[in-house]
Amino acid sequence: MAKTPSRSRTSQADRRERTRRSLLDAGRRLIADKGVAGLRISEITTEADVALGSFYNYFDTKEDLVDAVVGDTLANVATALSTKETEDQDSAEVVATAIQRFVAIAYEDPDFAQLLVHLNHSEEVMLGSVSPPATAAVVDGLESGRFKLEPEAVDIVVTTILGGALSLMRAIVMGRVGPGAELVYAEHALRMLGLAPARARQVVQRIA
Amino acid sequence: MAKTPSRSRTSQADRRERTRRSLLDAGRRLIADKGVAGLRISEITTEADVALGSFYNYFDTKEDLVDAVVGDTLANVATALSTKETEDQDSAEVVATAIQRFVAIAYEDPDFAQLLVHLNHSEEVMLGSVSPPATAAVVDGLESGRFKLEPEAVDIVVTTILGGALSLMRAIVMGRVGPGAELVYAEHALRMLGLAPARARQVVQRIA
């Protein structure tokens, strides 16, 4: 008896999280299929098999769901990219690979990149979801001595590397920058993190 | 006789440029006084002493004028900042000072900074007006041997340094970053341009 209320609260929270996830998954599929412009909330709830009115228990507007879809996708990508495969993997390689693959989305998935760069709050969405794993990867390289950075510079460097990546992705999507920019940027971001130019070049040559 | 049409064309172009400038100046004063939100086109034309209907010979919407005001201001600031005072001035000092003063706008002129970071196309406006003088300053440092950069990396590095500056200004305006970020960023941008960490530190210590 004593456990019933807590179990019921848990399963209610679980159910909420499942419904929210269904709406996000449906939104992601529909956005991938047909873009954001003509997307209707009723389509999302039909695809998610959720009552139309329930949508508003989870999101205030369609734009909020789109922000959440993009933020979610970015957080997954960033976490996957900035996680070391083995404990002794070089932090510089981890960060350079993460930057390279992240920026390459602009070449490889132009629909998602368009969505990202045209989002109203693209920068807040991106910083909110990508900063935590990016900061962790930078701190890791700092602790291992691979990066040379004052501790108080970490937030500023992470903010500007991510902001720079977003600008570059926008330039790629708009055709202002040709192919190969992802590796060039990864190399120069490593310089920012304290690697000498020759070292930064070696790292990107290894991951290219 | 032969010269009359051309002179008349010139003075017509001059007149157009003067009227456009009056509208921009009036827009700038009104924006500084009371912000963009409640700004009306009729106020701008009254302040500029221009017929209301003429506005549309120069700008399609109020937003277009605001973009032009911000772009103009940025271009002036960037050109002033990235011009050497003397021929033998160190390029690294010129660029670091330009970045430092530019980012410092977010602390010193929060109204303008708010305008800049909340603009719909803030990045395009900023890149369009600031990229040319910024690129010239970087090329200058490249030719003098002060910066170490492949020529094909220049556009990418300028785009990401400016995008990073805009992100940082947004973070400052939103209170996510404390004081002093302008010098920290200038130092790390110099690293990106190929200065060794110790050299970059020396340059910002000289300009601080």
Side-chain angles (χ1 to χ4, degrees):
Chain A
M1 270 288 281
K3 276 193 167 175
T4 312
S6 130
R7 201 160 53 208
S8 135
R9 261 202 302 279
T10 306
S11 68
Q12 197 182 331
D14 284 354
R15 212 161 42 233
R16 264 192 73 81
E17 181 48 34
R18 264 203 311 278
T19 307
R20 187 172 181 280
R21 177 104 335 258
S22 302
L23 289 167
L24 285 175
D25 289 343
R28 181 177 300 114
R29 285 193 298 273
L30 290 166
I31 291 168
D33 274 3
K34 43 179 272 177
V36 170
L39 185 66
R40 295 169 61 172
I41 291 177
S42 60
E43 291 175 295
I44 302 169
T45 51
T46 302
E47 171 85 13
D49 201 14
V50 167
L52 178 59
S54 303
F55 181 89
Y56 298 98
N57 295 331
Y58 300 90
F59 304 100
D60 286 336
T61 61
K62 186 185 88 174
E63 285 66 32
D64 279 355
L65 175 130
V66 174
D67 280 7
V69 164
V70 174
D72 235 48
T73 306
L74 289 177
N76 289 339
V77 171
T79 303
L81 289 181
S82 53
T83 304
K84 285 185 171 185
E85 284 164 29
T86 58
E87 197 41 55
D88 60 349
Q89 203 186 352
D90 173 20
S91 288
E93 277 189 31
V94 173
V95 169
T97 307
I99 292 172
Q100 175 211 10
R101 297 221 186 125
F102 200 82
V103 172
I105 293 173
Y107 298 113
E108 291 158 8
D109 189 349
D111 289 339
F112 181 74
Q114 284 274 3
L115 187 61
L116 173 61
V117 302
H118 287 129
L119 217 58
N120 257 336
H121 311 285
S122 55
E123 196 167 315
E124 287 92 295
V125 170
M126 161 137 171
L127 286 175
S129 54
V130 180
S131 283
T135 303
V138 169
V139 169
D140 205 70
L142 202 58
E143 286 170 354
S144 71
R146 184 69 159 135
F147 298 150
K148 305 237 169 316
L149 217 56
E150 303 293 325
E152 55 274 25
V154 170
D155 280 352
I156 294 166
V157 168
V158 169
T159 297
T160 54
I161 287 181
L162 293 180
L166 199 59
S167 294
L168 186 55
M169 293 171 83
R170 190 171 283 126
I172 292 167
V173 168
M174 291 179 154
R176 284 202 314 266
V177 165
E182 75 279 31
L183 270 179
V184 175
Y185 186 48
E187 178 181 338
H188 292 81
L190 288 181
R191 293 181 174 191
M192 227 178 168
L193 293 165
L195 272 76
R199 300 275 179 178
R201 169 62 56 92
Q202 285 165 5
V203 172
V204 298
Q205 280 172 341
R206 276 203 299 274
I207 65 166
Chain B
M1 272 287 283
K3 277 193 166 175
T4 312
S6 130
R7 203 160 51 209
S8 136
R9 261 202 302 279
T10 304
S11 69
Q12 197 183 329
D14 283 355
R15 212 160 42 233
R16 263 193 72 82
E17 181 49 33
R18 265 204 310 277
T19 308
R20 187 172 181 279
R21 177 105 335 259
S22 302
L23 290 166
L24 285 175
D25 289 343
R28 181 178 300 112
R29 285 194 298 274
L30 290 166
I31 290 168
D33 273 5
K34 41 179 275 175
V36 170
L39 186 65
R40 294 169 60 171
I41 291 177
S42 60
E43 291 175 295
I44 301 169
T45 52
T46 303
E47 171 86 12
D49 202 14
V50 167
L52 178 59
S54 302
F55 181 89
Y56 297 99
N57 296 330
Y58 300 90
F59 303 100
D60 285 336
T61 61
K62 186 185 86 174
E63 285 66 34
D64 280 355
L65 175 130
V66 174
D67 280 6
V69 165
V70 174
D72 236 47
T73 307
L74 289 177
N76 289 340
V77 172
T79 303
L81 289 182
S82 54
T83 305
K84 285 184 171 186
E85 284 163 30
T86 59
E87 197 40 56
D88 60 349
Q89 202 186 352
D90 173 20
S91 288
E93 278 190 30
V94 173
V95 168
T97 307
I99 292 172
Q100 175 212 8
R101 297 219 185 125
F102 200 82
V103 172
I105 294 173
Y107 297 113
E108 292 158 7
D109 189 350
D111 288 340
F112 181 75
Q114 284 274 1
L115 187 60
L116 173 62
V117 302
H118 287 128
L119 219 58
N120 256 336
H121 310 284
S122 55
E123 195 166 316
E124 287 94 294
V125 170
M126 160 137 171
L127 285 175
S129 54
V130 180
S131 283
T135 303
V138 168
V139 168
D140 205 71
L142 202 57
E143 285 171 354
S144 71
R146 184 68 159 135
F147 298 150
K148 305 239 169 314
L149 217 55
E150 303 294 326
E152 55 274 23
V154 170
D155 280 351
I156 294 166
V157 168
V158 168
T159 298
T160 54
I161 287 181
L162 294 180
L166 198 59
S167 293
L168 186 55
M169 292 171 83
R170 191 170 284 128
I172 292 167
V173 167
M174 291 179 155
R176 283 202 314 267
V177 165
E182 75 279 33
L183 270 179
V184 175
Y185 186 49
E187 178 181 338
H188 292 81
L190 289 181
R191 293 181 173 190
M192 226 177 170
L193 294 164
L195 272 76
R199 299 275 179 179
R201 170 63 56 93
Q202 285 165 5
V203 172
V204 299
Q205 281 172 341
R206 276 202 299 273
I207 66 166

